[in-house]
Amino acid sequence: MRRLNRKKTLNLMKELDAFPKVPESYVETSASGGTVSLIAFTTIAFLTIMEFTVYRDTWMKYEYEVDKDFTSKLRINIDITVAMRCQYVGADVLDLAETMVTSADGLIYEPVIFDLSPQQKEWQRMLQLIQSRLQEEHSLQDVIFKSAFKSASTALPPREDNSLQSPDACRIHGHLYVNKVAGNFHITVGKAIPHPRGHAHLAALVSHESYNFSHRIDHLSFGELIPGIINPLDGTEKIASNHNQMFQYFITVVPTKLHTYKISAETHQFSVTERERVINHAAGSHGVSGIFMKYDISSLMVTVTEQHMPFWQFLVRLCGIIGGIFSTTGILHGFGRFVAEVIFCRFRLGSYRSTSVPLPDGHTSNHLPLMTDNSMH
């Protein structure tokens, strides 16, 4: 009884077979079919490798929303070298809420040599080359996001030479926490002196001939410090052509949440516009000599997420490639055989054209002549 039920089940499954097998005696092979099959298998193998490469790759997805966080503090990471002695310059932040943050809250003044060593010059040259490529090809920013915490540090390497030259510049580095509103970080002559209406810098004891605001921005970023991320002003170097010169940077900061397979961090991106001018009150160019970075916080927040193709989507695309190539090559092969048969049939018909045979009464006959015994031989 069980064998009978099993036999019925097998017969039922055979009737439901959507892929009937053709007996080998009914299968005809040809050289053209083998050639097309070889081309099809080669194409499938090539496209499968390419599809697997796409499957292994990832891409960045950008989502935008309103930033509702107004109470947290904004961190500013600073590493700037000014071509003046540390006792002559002062750095601080003044925001729109008239809150003053002095450099004593987190910045370090370090006497250094302004000219770079050969190794440091090579580092700066490479960094400037990367910056120029980033400005031309914005898609490279995705590569930097994906390589964060993985690539080498972008900080200025220490000097490899033991120079006996006395320090002629001041490196101001560290970080400050400021309110999440627009503000102005500046470096100018003299130390800051707060007063009820704002603040001022004690610059009376410094002569104008010693003013030199040539500077190099080794690093400037906002938010969490992430190794491997290159910011727009990193590697910037400006040489002052006049003692009374003002350098201005207008910065728009965009809060950014970065989620990759390597890290998950809250940082900030920013764009910058540069301007520099000589202070000449007689010519109507008013202001204070120094370096001024005026930043504004965007109301939008960007969430950058690294995404990967799902495995099921990879299988669907792979099946589409295999099935599509088999179908397409089968159609092309059938069409080619049809065209070839039509052409060869015409040639064969042309070799048996009707000939005119003269008759004894002067008429002609268009029928093919009958084969005689002589023609047989």
Side-chain angles (χ1 to χ4, degrees), residues 270-295:
F270 66 90
S271 60
V272 60
T273 302
E274 304 175 12
R275 183 189 178 192
E276 58 182 85
R277 60 189 176 91
V278 177
I279 303 300
N280 188 350
H281 298 285
S285 177
H286 304 289
V288 179
S289 302
I291 305 167
F292 297 85
M293 299 183 177
K294 299 181 179 181
Y295 59 89

Side-chain angles (χ1 to χ4, degrees), residues 330-372:
I331 294 173
L332 293 177
H333 181 241
F335 180 75
R337 289 190 62 180
F338 172 75
V339 172
E341 288 179 358
V342 170
I343 294 175
F344 284 129
C345 285
R346 286 186 177 179
F347 280 134
R348 290 175 182 176
L349 291 174
S351 61
Y352 293 104
R353 287 179 183 176
S354 59
T355 57
S356 299
V357 180
L359 297 177
D361 57 358
H363 294 82
T364 59
S365 175
N366 292 327
H367 296 285
L368 290 174
L370 295 176
M371 300 181 66
T372 62

Side-chain angles (χ1 to χ4, degrees), residues 101-276:
V101 180
T102 61
S103 58
D105 295 333
L107 296 183
I108 301 174
Y109 292 77
E110 179 184 352
V112 294
I113 301 174
F114 187 76
D115 292 333
L116 298 176
S117 64
Q119 182 179 350
Q120 291 176 330
K121 288 182 179 179
E122 181 65 20
W123 170 87
Q124 187 186 33
R125 188 188 68 82
M126 291 298 298
L127 190 57
Q128 291 176 348
L129 179 61
I130 294 174
Q131 291 284 21
S132 62
R133 293 298 302 271
L134 285 173
Q135 293 176 2
E136 296 174 359
E137 303 179 21
H138 301 284
S139 59
L140 292 178
Q141 186 65 41
D142 293 349
V143 180
I144 294 178
F145 280 149
K146 288 189 286 187
S147 62
F149 275 157
K150 182 180 178 182
S151 59
S153 175
T154 57
L156 177 69
R159 301 184 69 94
E160 75 280 2
D161 58 344
N162 297 322
S163 177
L164 300 178
Q165 179 183 351
S166 59
D168 58 352
C170 183
R171 179 190 176 197
I172 304 173
H173 60 98
H175 60 271
L176 297 173
Y177 288 95
V178 299
N179 296 322
K180 206 171 181 179
V181 295
N184 181 6
F185 169 75
H186 53 273
I187 302 173
T188 187
V189 178
K191 304 301 179 181
I193 303 175
H195 61 82
R197 293 189 177 182
H199 78 294
H201 287 261
L202 185 60
L205 302 179
V206 183
S207 63
H208 284 79
E209 287 74 15
S210 62
Y211 285 14
N212 185 4
F213 284 100
S214 301
H215 62 279
R216 182 177 60 253
I217 304 176
D218 297 325
H219 180 79
L220 180 70
S221 64
F222 297 83
E224 183 179 349
L225 186 60
I226 303 177
I229 297 296
I230 299 177
N231 297 277
L233 286 176
D234 293 354
T236 300
E237 184 176 87
K238 299 290 184 180
I239 304 300
S241 58
N242 190 284
H243 294 293
N244 296 327
Q245 192 154 352
M246 173 190 286
F247 296 91
Q248 292 176 304
Y249 299 91
F250 301 93
I251 300 172
T252 301
V253 183
V254 181
T256 304
K257 291 183 178 180
L258 183 61
H259 302 286
T260 67
Y261 291 104
K262 296 289 188 294
I263 63 169
S264 180
E266 293 187 5
T267 181
H268 292 72
Q269 301 179 84
F270 66 90
S271 60
V272 60
T273 302
E274 304 175 12
R275 183 189 178 192
E276 58 182 85

